[in-house]
Amino acid sequence: MKSPVLYLSLILPLLAGLALSPLEAQTPALSPKAKECFEWYQSLKYPDPKEAIWAEVWTGSYTDDGYTGQTPVTNRLFVTEHDDTSFVALHLPQTTARLQTSSPPDRSYARVGFTPRSLEKDMDELLTSIQQGANPPFHTAYLFPQPSRRAQTALLAYACWRKGDYARAQALFEAADSLPDRQGHEKTDLPGLRHDLERELGELAMWRTILQAGGIEQIVREEVPLVPRTTLLSSFQEIAAKFPNSRHAGRATELATVLQGMIAEDATHVSVNDVELSKLPVEKQVEEYLFRLRDLNGFQMGQPGSCDIFATRGERTHETTAHRLVKLGHEAVPQLIAALADQRLTRSVQYGRDFRFSHYILTNADCAAIILRRISGNSIILRRSSPERSSTPEDIATVRKEAEDWWQVIQKKGEKQALADEIASGKNWPGELVRKLKEKYPDAVDAAVLAGAKVAEQRGITESYAEHLKTNPSAEATQLLLKFLGSGEEMDLRIVAARVLWERKHPEALRAMMEMWQAVEGYPPYSEKSNRLCTLGSLLIATGEQRAFELLSSNWNLRNAREKSHLVREMAHLLPANPRYSSFVAKPVRPSPEASAKATELLILALSDRAVDEGLSGSYRDFAFIDPRICDLASWALHQIDPGTHPFTASADRKQREQERLASINRWRTQQGQPVLPGPDARLPVLPAAKSLQISQVNVELGAQASAGGAQERATARFTQHLQNLKGTSFAPETLTALSRHLLTHDTQGIGGMVVEVIRNRDLTGVVLHVVLAPGDLSQTDQVTFGASLQSGDQVRGLSRDSCMPADAIEPAKWTRLEKELQVVPTLPAERDFLIRFHLRGK
């Protein structure tokens, strides 16, 4: 008889094996590539996840879509330390953040805390998503900048290896190796995941260090002091040492060398306060200000763009070191020119786009060039080979040559004559030159601007000169503006000339504007010519002239939806008792009663225009919109001009919006002695709340198309019947995507696309589908585009917009994102209105 202990020793391993997942049951072996990669990463001595807790982490961040309320944003991270009041989250590869635990009772969505999770289950889920080509099932990064999915997966593989889960480590390593490298990485002679990871982590480290140098708010809160130069030095040295194969290793070494010299200078520099400094000779003041450039923390407002060294983090308006050097003016120029060779680093960071690594630290040389340009009135042109990297020696040499040439001219002619001659040459943008000349020598401005306007040839520069002629009252300036007004195809120049002449009350201005408006038609929305036409429309409205409103009404149907919506919105801005206007339009003229009547007539015409300005979104106080109909904008505009006569509810559902629109039309028609228009005939029955998503009505409208007969007519009829068959079914997030795939996979000759409005009012009458079928043939297109927007009450939201090959559009996976975005619709209360606007068309 065998010992029970022996039986147990044989059975227990088998029983244990039954509880293991397939990955855990495999032999724990690593490939040489995985082992090499993991050991290399371990050698970097970053925080070790071996004893860390894998957890769902709440950081206090949340989203608010305006429909379902606030939703917390969570991430899956490792927690390396924790106590009753705080915890440390590890953001792979190396960043840790200590978070203070909190759970506000009235704001549970803003919780800060963590809940342990099963690393094994989450990694299995991640592997499945990679194998299926799906999006990651969870977020593993919340700090900026973030590693690519390839790098994140490799780092999680390392974490599994450190925790002794070799099977999952190997599986994740192989999955990471199958994912594409971060876009934009250079090709090298060192292929493979290990070297790709070195290059990417090296770039992330460089990116993060430069962000820290400038205190960029993506990673540094505004109230946090800038990290000391000694910290930056250590970071750059570490990058060069840990990532020698990164393309940034050499630059990191260069920056470290510069910082070493600056830190030594900091230790020996005798600081001077502003009062003492003001008493020193100018040369010494410039020397001190050039030294202080190392702490100049400029601010970049937009992208693509440039870092403004005359604005700073936190305080955008206070005087900076750059301002003080500009104030010293010409006395600072020789030392500023010498500083064009100074590669010391400031704390100002410039970038092309903040979502990719295009960041670099401005040097003293960069700042000296910017300051010289300001002093010279923009006579010196800044040169940079690329907007996404530091100035090259060639760039600086070019700027230095321009600065020296400009300085020689100043010394020879004097500032007044040099500025006047530069303006009179008509070669450069006059704005800053005119400002400087007007500031010191106002008597020389008119003659210089007039001379420059006569010879300026470059588009844009000529318009700027014409703009500056507005302060010159001479007959010669007026004659030149009249010449510009008749300059043929140069519409931009003609528009500027017309505006300046109109402000002078010249009779030719309005005639020319009306002539230009009549001469153009049929421009595509967003095109350059269409945008100019919108500007011209604003000027016509601002004149307040009856003839202008009559003209706008007469060719209304020739205008595209963007031009129409622009006109309507401008009328809402310019015609109320307290108008809002731009510096270009200047102060609008209050229309006479007769002109006001014509303006109202134009807006009543717009009330009957159901065209949609697709892609437009925005808000005016409590009125938010996306993809608005022209008629809805017109209803709002009339309310802005005469709120007592024309009702408008910003948060109205479609039913109420139509009632208010019709009320304005009929009130006007009654005043004109015309019969009123009837309201809608169809009265839908009230449904139980449980059936609030039931499709109760389907309206199909054929867009303007050529006479379709035979096969085209039959195909259109079949699709129309398919749409009608949706009546009585419940609208779901999949309804629109299934409809799109049906249109793309069936014989639909004569249909080039569709626009679908999914409308639910607050009266519990269900959902109405309004479908407009566009002419064409989707089966013959090479590409399809689709997009959607969602409105509910006073909330608006743009949804997915994409383009792809027709073969891709019939795949369910292509529509996953849109369906997910529409999941909010079934969760809305039954009495909550919504409007979904969806389009699918060939391109």
Side-chain angles (χ1 to χ4, degrees):
M1 182 177 176
K2 296 186 177 180
S3 165
V5 175
L6 179 58
Y7 278 119
L8 288 174
S9 65
L10 294 171
I11 293 173
L12 284 176
L14 295 175
L15 293 175
L18 292 175
L20 297 177
S21 72
L23 277 173
E24 290 168 323
Q26 296 173 13
T27 303
L30 286 179
S31 66
K33 286 185 178 180
K35 189 171 185 294
E36 177 199 6
C37 184
F38 296 157
E39 290 177 345
W40 166 79
Y41 184 78
Q42 188 178 25
S43 72
L44 300 180
K45 300 189 182 304
Y46 284 153
D48 190 356
K50 182 176 181 179
E51 304 299 330
I53 301 169
W54 178 249
E56 184 99 14
V57 175
W58 284 259
T59 61
S61 299
Y62 58 90
T63 60
D64 187 347
D65 60 11
Y67 306 107
T68 57
Q70 298 84 1
T71 303
V73 176
T74 65
N75 298 269
R76 308 283 168 86
L77 305 169
F78 288 102
V79 174
T80 58
E81 302 175 33
H82 66 94
D83 55 31
D84 293 338
T85 60
S86 66
F87 62 97
V88 175
L90 170 59
H91 184 277
L92 295 172
Q94 82 270 29
T95 308
T96 57
R98 180 171 290 278
L99 302 173
Q100 300 299 316
T101 306
S102 68
S103 184
D106 55 338
R107 298 172 68 244
S108 58
Y109 50 84
R111 171 194 174 194
V112 179
F114 71 93
T115 301
R117 289 189 59 88
S118 167
L119 178 64
E120 295 78 9
K121 288 182 179 179
D122 281 352
M123 294 305 101
D124 290 348
E125 189 178 356
L126 177 62
L127 283 167
T128 300
S129 72
I130 294 173
Q131 292 162 1
Q132 295 176 348
N135 291 327
F138 47 79
H139 297 289
T140 59
Y142 81 98
L143 296 177
F144 188 88
Q146 298 178 356
S148 66
R149 188 179 184 186
R150 174 180 170 91
Q152 288 183 45
T153 305
L155 296 176
L156 289 170
Y158 167 79
C160 288
W161 176 67
R162 289 296 296 146
K163 287 181 172 294
D165 191 346
Y166 302 115
R168 281 189 180 81
Q170 180 63 38
L172 286 166
F173 179 85
E174 293 172 0
D177 204 18
S178 71
L179 292 169
D181 193 9
R182 182 187 286 274
Q183 191 175 16
H185 270 186
E186 75 280 14
K187 301 296 182 183
T188 72
D189 296 329
L190 298 171
L193 181 55
R194 141 79 175 91
H195 295 292
D196 289 345
L197 201 59
E198 178 182 350
R199 289 191 293 272
E200 180 171 340
L201 296 188
E203 179 163 294
L204 287 173
M206 191 74 170
W207 190 350
R208 174 165 286 276
T209 302
I210 289 177
L211 289 175
Q212 288 178 323
I216 301 298
E217 293 169 19
Q218 286 170 300
I219 67 165
V220 178
R221 295 192 307 278
E222 202 167 89
E223 66 272 15
V224 175
L226 296 173
V227 298
R229 271 182 278 276
T230 51
T231 300
L232 296 177
L233 171 61
S234 298
S235 296
F236 285 127
Q237 289 173 331
E238 186 176 279
I239 291 167
K242 290 184 174 181
F243 309 107
N245 296 310
S246 165
R247 60 178 171 177
H248 304 291
R251 182 58 178 160
T253 299
E254 292 172 5
L255 296 178
T257 300
V258 172
L259 283 168
Q260 283 176 322
M262 294 178 68
I263 291 167
E265 291 170 347
D266 289 339
T268 59
H269 180 72
V270 179
S271 60
V272 182
N273 63 43
D274 289 346
V275 175
E276 295 170 339
L277 182 61
S278 64
K279 299 175 182 178
L280 296 177
V282 172
E283 183 179 349
K284 290 294 184 182
Q285 291 182 43
V286 175
E287 183 180 319
E288 173 63 19
Y289 286 135
L290 288 173
F291 182 87
R292 292 184 185 183
L293 286 178
R294 65 186 57 208
D295 296 317
L296 182 62
N297 185 207
F299 179 77
Q300 181 163 330
M301 180 66 73
Q303 53 178 311
S306 58
C307 182
D308 185 358
I309 63 172
F310 297 96
T312 60
R313 189 172 70 113
E315 296 182 65
R316 311 284 188 237
T317 57
H318 86 279
E319 190 174 71
T320 69
T321 301
H323 285 107
R324 295 181 180 184
L325 283 165
V326 169
K327 278 187 174 181
L328 291 174
H330 289 174
E331 291 182 282
V333 167
Q335 287 163 275
L336 284 167
I337 290 176
L340 289 172
D342 189 350
Q343 292 302 303
R344 292 177 180 86
L345 302 176
T346 70
R347 305 309 290 268
S348 301
V349 171
Q350 185 160 304
Y351 53 88
R353 293 287 188 179
D354 66 359
F355 51 79
R356 67 168 181 260
F357 182 40
S358 58
H359 301 62
Y360 57 91
I361 305 172
L362 295 184
T363 63
N364 279 15
D366 293 322
C367 292
I370 294 169
I371 294 165
L372 281 167
R373 177 172 169 79
R374 179 73 69 95
I375 292 173
S376 72
N378 294 345
S379 298
I380 299 169
I381 307 300
L382 302 182
R383 310 288 180 182
R384 181 168 282 115
S385 303
S386 168
E388 298 189 357
R389 71 164 187 254
S390 302
S391 300
T392 64
E394 293 77 15
D395 296 332
I396 293 296
T398 303
V399 174
R400 186 185 187 99
K401 176 69 165 57
E402 286 195 8
E404 290 172 341
D405 291 347
W406 165 79
W407 184 234
Q408 287 180 2
V409 171
I410 291 292
Q411 291 177 305
K412 180 179 179 181
K413 295 183 177 181
E415 183 180 26
K416 178 180 179 180
Q417 192 60 47
L419 282 170
D421 288 351
E422 181 76 12
I423 294 168
S425 73
K427 294 179 180 179
N428 294 320
W429 293 91
E432 187 64 19
L433 294 165
V434 170
R435 186 193 67 78
K436 288 187 72 69
L437 187 62
K438 184 179 293 186
E439 190 177 77
K440 290 189 175 182
Y441 317 103
D443 60 306
V445 172
D446 285 348
V449 170
L450 184 60
K454 290 178 179 179
V455 298
E457 296 180 349
Q458 186 176 331
R459 182 178 172 184
I461 290 180
T462 307
E463 285 87 325
S464 184
Y465 271 98
E467 182 73 26
H468 283 288
L469 285 175
K470 67 184 178 183
T471 58
N472 187 334
S474 69
E476 192 175 3
T478 299
Q479 288 302 311
L480 184 57
L481 287 166
L482 288 170
K483 178 183 176 182
F484 291 155
L485 195 61
S487 59
E489 296 298 317
E490 294 297 326
M491 191 171 174
D492 285 336
L493 180 57
R494 295 182 70 195
I495 289 173
V496 173
R499 186 183 75 81
V500 176
L501 286 167
W502 171 62
E503 290 180 354
R504 295 183 180 205
K505 296 181 170 49
H506 196 286
E508 281 296 302
L510 180 59
R511 184 201 62 77
M513 285 190 276
M514 294 179 66
E515 181 184 278
M516 281 188 278
W517 185 267
Q518 288 175 307
V520 293
E521 60 181 74
Y523 293 148
Y526 299 103
S527 66
E528 188 176 352
K529 290 184 176 180
S530 182
N531 292 338
R532 292 175 191 157
L533 198 62
C534 288
T535 301
L536 181 58
S538 297
L539 289 175
L540 286 167
I541 293 168
T543 66
E545 287 280 344
Q546 180 177 339
R547 290 176 294 164
F549 295 118
E550 289 173 341
L551 174 63
L552 295 175
S553 296
S554 68
N555 59 9
W556 176 261
N557 291 330
L558 298 178
R559 308 278 72 92
N560 62 49
R562 174 47 55 92
E563 292 160 1
K564 290 177 179 178
S565 91
H566 177 83
L567 291 175
V568 170
R569 287 178 285 126
E570 284 293 88
M571 292 176 76
H573 293 153
L574 298 175
L575 299 184
N578 296 310
R580 296 166 52 194
Y581 50 91
S582 67
S583 58
F584 182 84
V585 172
K587 189 175 182 178
V589 174
R590 186 73 180 159
S592 66
E594 294 78 13
S596 292
K598 290 299 179 182
T600 300
E601 186 175 331
L602 173 56
L603 288 172
I604 294 297
L605 176 63
L607 277 179
S608 298
D609 196 324
R610 289 185 171 85
V612 172
D613 189 353
E614 193 172 284
L616 178 69
S617 63
S619 63
Y620 296 113
R621 296 182 182 173
D622 57 345
F623 175 42
F625 54 85
I626 187 168
D627 297 334
R629 299 185 304 172
I630 303 302
C631 58
D632 294 331
L633 292 173
S635 184
W636 164 75
L638 282 164
H639 181 73
Q640 298 300 304
I641 297 168
D642 188 359
T645 302
H646 300 284
F648 181 81
T649 305
S651 59
D653 61 13
R654 175 60 65 85
K655 181 179 179 180
Q656 184 180 2
R657 185 63 46 80
E658 287 295 289
Q659 290 170 344
E660 293 175 343
R661 183 181 70 86
L662 189 61
S664 287
I665 292 175
N666 283 336
R667 186 174 288 107
W668 180 84
R669 290 177 69 89
T670 299
Q671 292 171 349
Q672 306 304 311
Q674 300 178 15
V676 299
L677 300 179
D681 294 329
R683 292 184 179 276
L684 299 172
V686 175
L687 301 174
K691 292 187 177 182
S692 63
L693 288 173
Q694 181 175 296
I695 298 174
S696 54
Q697 186 175 342
V698 179
N699 303 319
V700 182
E701 178 184 338
L702 300 181
Q705 54 185 325
S707 58
Q712 290 187 6
E713 185 175 341
R714 290 192 294 273
T716 301
R718 284 194 299 271
F719 188 66
T720 300
Q721 185 57 53
H722 178 76
L723 289 166
Q724 292 293 345
N725 291 341
L726 294 173
K727 185 175 180 180
T729 65
S730 288
F731 177 79
E734 298 79 18
T735 302
L736 288 174
T737 59
L739 195 59
S740 300
R741 294 200 302 275
H742 180 94
L743 184 59
L744 290 164
T745 54
H746 287 70
D747 179 14
T748 50
Q749 296 181 53
I751 302 177
M754 64 178 177
V755 175
V756 184
E757 286 187 331
V758 185
I759 305 163
R760 186 175 77 178
N761 295 310
R762 298 171 186 150
D763 56 5
L764 290 178
T765 55
V767 171
V768 175
L769 296 188
H770 183 78
V771 184
V772 178
L773 300 179
D777 190 346
L778 274 177
S779 65
Q780 300 301 313
T781 190
D782 294 327
Q783 195 173 31
V784 295
T785 64
F786 65 87
S789 60
L790 172 63
Q791 303 178 51
S792 180
D794 58 359
Q795 302 293 323
V796 298
R797 180 182 178 186
L799 306 180
S800 296
R801 295 178 186 264
D802 202 353
S803 61
C804 61
M805 302 291 288
D808 295 329
I810 64 176
E811 295 296 329
K814 190 64 181 176
W815 302 94
T816 301
R817 180 181 172 190
L818 178 59
E819 290 174 353
K820 184 176 180 180
E821 292 171 332
L822 289 173
Q823 289 292 340
V824 67
V825 172
T827 68
L828 297 175
E831 298 80 10
R832 180 79 178 261
D833 68 289
F834 65 79
L835 167 63
I836 302 168
R837 189 174 188 279
F838 171 81
H839 72 264
L840 172 75
R841 59 177 66 99
K843 188 176 181 181

